[in-house]
Amino acid sequence: MNYISDNTQSIKHSKIRKMFNKALEYDNPISFTIGEPDFTASDNVVEATIRALKEGKSKYSENAGIKPLREAISRYLERECGLLYNSVDEITVTTGAMGGIYQALKVTLNPGDEVIVSEPCWTNYAQQIKMCGGVPVSVPVDFENSFSLDPEKIERSITKSTKAIMINSPCNPTGTVLSEEVLIKVANIAKKYDLLVFSDEVYKHIIFDEAKHISIASLPDMKERTLVFDSFSKTFAMTGFRVGYVAGPSEIISNITKLQENIAACVAMPCQYGAVEALEGGKEHLNMMVEQYEKRRNYISERLSKMPYIKYEKSKGTFYAFISIKDTGMTSEEFAMKLLEKEQVVVVPGDAFGDFGEGYIRISFATSMENIKRGMDRIESFLVNLKVWKAEA
Ligand SMILES: Cc1ncc(COP(=O)(O)O)c(C=O)c1O
């Protein structure tokens, strides 16, 4: 008897994990795989969480999350994005954005419903869509177009089964921030074909230069068909707290909460109090982190620009650099494995983010400047030697 369901068997482990495991075989690796801030939560957030515990706020909370947190989220969305969501029935607190996206897919997809995802994209979308009986439909984004969404390609991929478009801006892994012009076009497509838009905005504050985050939900007539996913993980360096939320139309939100009631009841109550403090306790910690990420991105960009075989366009947001290695003639996996073997540097092969990520690697700069400097030296040495090997061949 095979005890594992067909659906679960169709779900794949991420290649990021494969690289991570492989790196354990080496004694001095420098890892650029990390998808979480190298900072910890700020002291005021930690203190608020401990205070909640000491005050006995360690029970089950309402399924949708504690009222003070939903109210704080409502104020924050208005302040930061001009979005008006009421805390009573348009916001629900979830186990990170990950839990929110999964529950939203579960609530909205019927078997065979298609969800359009731009690719390369965060690995979990396709798996979660499949876990919910849906079908991910990939639309490629290109280096030449700064990895921005191509609305025409999206429109061409719509079928009778299309239910939703998933967007992620700023984007993991490409670091792209979608412009207002592109968002308007995507919004018009969603309205024309009566589609939902899932807008994953977890990196919205990690943004550089002149780039501006715009939530597609803020565009005319989009609030009623958009689900906004956000979390405390990246913005406030609170990955382990597992607090996120979904904002959207009350009918969908109440159904997400109904699932929460049956899955985990609620998010850990003390962590929810920590999250209130994150939203209300000032932006000093966040600003410090973004400043560091920007310095690191600039350094990486400067170093990579002098190396042979690779192309990199400065990330507009997130803490990832998505780098073309096509000119080496190697596949992403070959490149990543050889780099590990020769120089003990761990990067994520681009095809971990879908087939259209082939020909790229992802570097996370959520690691110290010291690591970045040493890692860049090693990558440079790898590429220079590659040039010598190629010349000799
Ligand atoms: C694009 C994107 N969305 C969502 C998440 C999930 O974050 P969390 O569940 O910690 O909020 C991640 C984490 O890496 C991500 O990169």
Side-chain angles (χ1 to χ4, degrees):
M1 156 89 89
N2 186 350
Y3 292 121
I4 310 302
S5 71
D6 294 346
N7 183 279
T8 300
Q9 285 189 55
S10 76
I11 307 303
K12 304 269 178 298
H13 277 303
S14 153
K15 265 202 177 175
I16 303 179
R17 178 192 282 231
K18 186 172 163 190
M19 285 308 298
F20 189 83
N21 290 343
K22 187 82 193 146
L24 296 175
E25 295 169 19
Y26 293 80
D27 56 1
N28 184 24
I30 295 180
S31 179
F32 285 125
T33 59
I34 317 294
E36 65 180 338
D38 54 315
F39 303 96
T40 51
S42 61
D43 289 347
N44 57 325
V45 166
V46 173
E47 278 155 21
T49 310
I50 294 172
R51 203 177 320 120
L53 275 166
K54 287 192 170 159
E55 289 171 359
K57 293 172 176 160
S58 52
K59 310 280 188 183
Y60 293 129
S61 78
E62 298 97 293
N63 303 125
I66 56 171
K67 194 163 168 256
L69 180 55
R70 282 179 284 123
E71 287 173 350
I73 293 168
S74 173
R75 285 191 292 274
Y76 165 80
L77 285 175
E78 182 172 6
R79 194 167 72 228
E80 298 289 338
C81 310
L83 294 173
L84 299 177
Y85 286 101
N86 78 61
S87 60
V88 179
D89 59 1
E90 292 182 326
I91 292 169
T92 192
V93 177
T94 55
T95 315
M98 216 181 260
I101 297 168
Y102 176 73
Q103 283 167 224
L105 289 165
K106 194 83 187 154
V107 160
T108 55
L109 297 188
N110 285 314
D113 280 351
E114 294 174 1
V115 181
I116 295 174
V117 282
S118 67
E119 206 184 280
C121 63
W122 185 50
T123 48
N124 303 53
Y125 296 140
Q127 308 300 345
Q128 290 201 346
I129 292 165
K130 287 193 226 159
M131 283 160 74
C132 296
V135 181
V137 174
S138 299
V139 172
V141 292
D142 308 315
F143 182 91
E144 291 67 30
N145 190 23
S146 304
F147 296 115
S148 182
L149 275 181
D150 180 341
E152 279 173 24
K153 283 190 193 158
I154 290 187
E155 188 158 12
R156 281 202 298 274
S157 65
I158 290 173
T159 70
K160 277 205 269 333
S161 301
T162 308
K163 185 78 173 260
I165 304 171
M166 177 76 76
I167 61 172
N168 172 217
S169 176
C171 174
N172 171 14
T174 62
T176 301
V177 177
L178 296 177
S179 67
E180 185 169 19
E181 193 191 342
V182 168
L183 289 170
I184 289 173
K185 287 185 180 160
V186 175
N188 288 341
I189 293 170
K191 286 186 267 189
K192 181 171 165 190
Y193 295 93
D194 191 17
L195 303 176
L196 281 168
V197 174
F198 287 171
S199 183
D200 178 348
E201 305 183 7
V202 299
Y203 293 97
K204 71 165 177 273
H205 282 291
I206 305 174
I207 205 158
F208 314 121
D209 307 326
E210 75 294 345
K212 198 166 165 262
H213 169 75
I214 297 169
S215 175
I216 195 165
S218 68
L219 300 179
D221 304 320
M222 282 306 289
K223 196 183 152 197
E224 65 226 46
R225 61 177 67 253
T226 304
L227 290 169
V228 174
F229 302 99
D230 195 5
S231 97
F232 295 77
S233 294
K234 320 288 176 176
T235 308
F236 301 105
M238 290 169 62
T239 43
F241 284 62
R242 308 309 300 130
V243 191
Y245 60 91
V246 190
S250 59
E251 190 196 358
I252 300 181
I253 294 299
S254 65
N255 278 287
I256 292 175
T257 307
K258 184 170 72 184
L259 292 199
Q260 181 75 311
E261 180 186 330
N262 289 286
I263 295 172
C266 63
V267 170
M269 194 189 243
C271 295
Q272 294 190 56
Y273 280 96
V276 174
E277 176 61 24
L279 296 181
E280 311 265 280
K283 290 174 83 171
E284 222 171 275
H285 188 60
L286 168 62
N287 291 342
M288 177 278 291
M289 290 191 288
V290 175
E291 198 178 302
Q292 291 303 316
Y293 294 140
E294 186 158 3
K295 274 193 192 140
R296 297 170 186 178
R297 179 209 60 163
N298 290 345
Y299 177 80
I300 287 173
S301 166
E302 171 70 23
R303 291 291 306 266
L304 293 178
S305 69
K306 300 197 178 95
M307 297 185 201
Y309 295 119
I310 52 172
K311 289 196 203 101
Y312 168 58
E313 189 180 310
K314 264 187 183 176
S315 317
K316 301 265 189 317
T318 73
F319 38 65
Y320 306 110
F322 206 59
I323 301 159
S324 169
I325 51 106
K326 287 184 181 170
D327 292 348
T328 63
M330 300 164 107
T331 66
S332 306
E333 185 160 348
E334 280 165 0
F335 185 97
M337 287 299 177
K338 261 281 180 277
L339 180 61
L340 177 60
E341 193 185 299
K342 297 280 183 197
E343 297 286 350
Q344 299 203 28
V345 173
V346 202
V347 298
V348 182
D351 63 334
F353 306 99
D355 292 345
F356 293 113
E358 180 51 77
Y360 299 89
I361 54 163
R362 189 193 76 175
I363 281 181
S364 159
F365 43 92
T367 184
S368 70
M369 198 60 161
E370 193 197 331
N371 266 349
I372 291 172
K373 284 183 177 163
R374 287 195 300 136
M376 285 297 126
D377 289 345
R378 292 186 188 187
I379 293 176
E380 185 163 32
S381 144
F382 175 73
L383 288 165
V384 168
N385 281 322
L386 201 66
K387 199 166 180 176
V388 176
W389 303 333
K390 290 227 175 208
E392 285 170 359

